[in-house]
Amino acid sequence: NSNLPTEIYLANNDGSHIQRITDAKGFDGFTSNPANNKNIIYTSFRSGDGELYLFNSITGVQQKLKAAVGSDTDGQMSPDGKSMVWVNQEKNSGLSRLMVGNSVAASPKILKLRAGLHQNPSYSPKGEYILFSSNFEDPNNTDIYVYEIAAQCVRKITQNPAQDRAPWLSPDGKKILFTSTRSGQDQIYLMDFVTSEACISAQ
């Protein structure tokens, strides 16, 4: 809930050495996995609109990223740390788009997708895919898709009347983890990573 005052903390895998890394009014959250074991992207609503920040866990330096006009959220760094993907939403619009830029969100480009509410982008472990959730095929239903970067091809992963969101691939790329309302409330699901055979029209 981006309306609640929230801060970000860093800890070891065993929960030790907890370190607070933000201290600002408003919401700070939606963190990325650390790129190259050091850089973390997070979203802040401290100014009212969503803005992306880059935190270097080695030096402690925090940098505000000037991405695109509108609200920028849900930033994720590519595995090689050379590019990033995020969600951009224009003011007074119920639609969003996926943006791709370099490691500091500069030179942004819009992924060519049909209009819809595109959310929760994440990279595959090798960086060849971008996974995301969207309702571009059905405004009342959210499914999970994969965007093949080289081929600029969109393939469908889930097809269910429930709301499927927040996809993430396992390190070996064989399993996909996501949340779904299939049981009547949000739960975590795990299944084999299998896509539709043909590219679907996403433009």
Side-chain angles (χ1 to χ4, degrees):
N1 188 339
S2 59
N3 294 317
L4 295 177
T6 306
E7 304 295 348
I8 299 172
Y9 295 80
L10 196 64
N12 291 339
N13 289 337
D14 62 1
S16 63
H17 300 289
I18 297 175
Q19 173 190 0
R20 181 172 175 171
I21 65 174
T22 61
D23 185 9
K25 293 181 179 180
F27 175 93
D28 290 333
F30 304 145
T31 58
S32 69
N33 272 1
N36 301 326
N37 293 320
K38 63 176 183 178
N39 289 326
I40 298 170
I41 305 167
Y42 68 88
T43 301
S44 178
F45 285 86
R46 62 188 67 175
S47 68
D49 287 331
E51 297 174 318
L52 298 175
Y53 282 75
L54 185 68
F55 171 74
N56 186 308
S57 63
I58 305 300
T59 64
V61 173
Q62 303 197 37
Q63 175 185 359
K64 180 180 175 181
L65 305 180
K66 294 183 179 181
V69 175
S71 181
D72 296 305
T73 63
D74 292 336
Q76 293 289 335
M77 192 77 75
S78 63
D80 61 8
K82 295 181 180 179
S83 63
M84 59 179 289
V85 61
W86 68 93
V87 175
N88 174 261
Q89 185 167 3
E90 297 180 358
K91 289 185 177 180
N92 305 317
S93 171
L95 305 178
S96 60
R97 52 193 181 179
L98 297 185
M99 311 289 292
V100 175
N102 63 17
S103 60
V104 291
S107 304
K109 295 181 180 179
I110 304 171
L111 286 190
K112 295 180 179 179
L113 300 170
R114 197 187 311 167
L117 186 61
H118 309 305
Q119 303 177 86
N120 316 126
S122 64
Y123 281 94
S124 60
K126 294 182 180 179
E128 72 271 48
Y129 306 133
I130 294 174
L131 291 88
F132 64 100
S133 61
S134 180
N135 67 350
F136 73 84
E137 289 189 293
D138 180 355
N140 298 314
N141 185 55
T142 300
D143 280 308
I144 294 172
Y145 301 83
V146 60
Y147 181 89
E148 295 185 19
I149 297 174
Q152 297 185 0
C153 166
V154 175
R155 300 182 191 274
K156 196 167 189 174
I157 299 177
T158 66
Q159 186 165 352
N160 193 284
Q163 305 299 317
D164 295 338
R165 296 184 292 263
W168 202 268
L169 275 183
S170 60
D172 61 8
K174 295 181 179 180
K175 298 285 186 180
I176 182 170
L177 192 73
F178 62 98
T179 64
S180 178
T181 59
R182 300 177 187 200
S183 68
Q185 58 183 347
D186 275 320
Q187 300 284 348
I188 298 174
Y189 288 78
L190 180 70
M191 71 179 194
D192 292 338
F193 178 53
V194 180
T195 68
S196 60
E197 294 184 3
C199 296
I200 62 175
S201 175
Q203 301 182 27

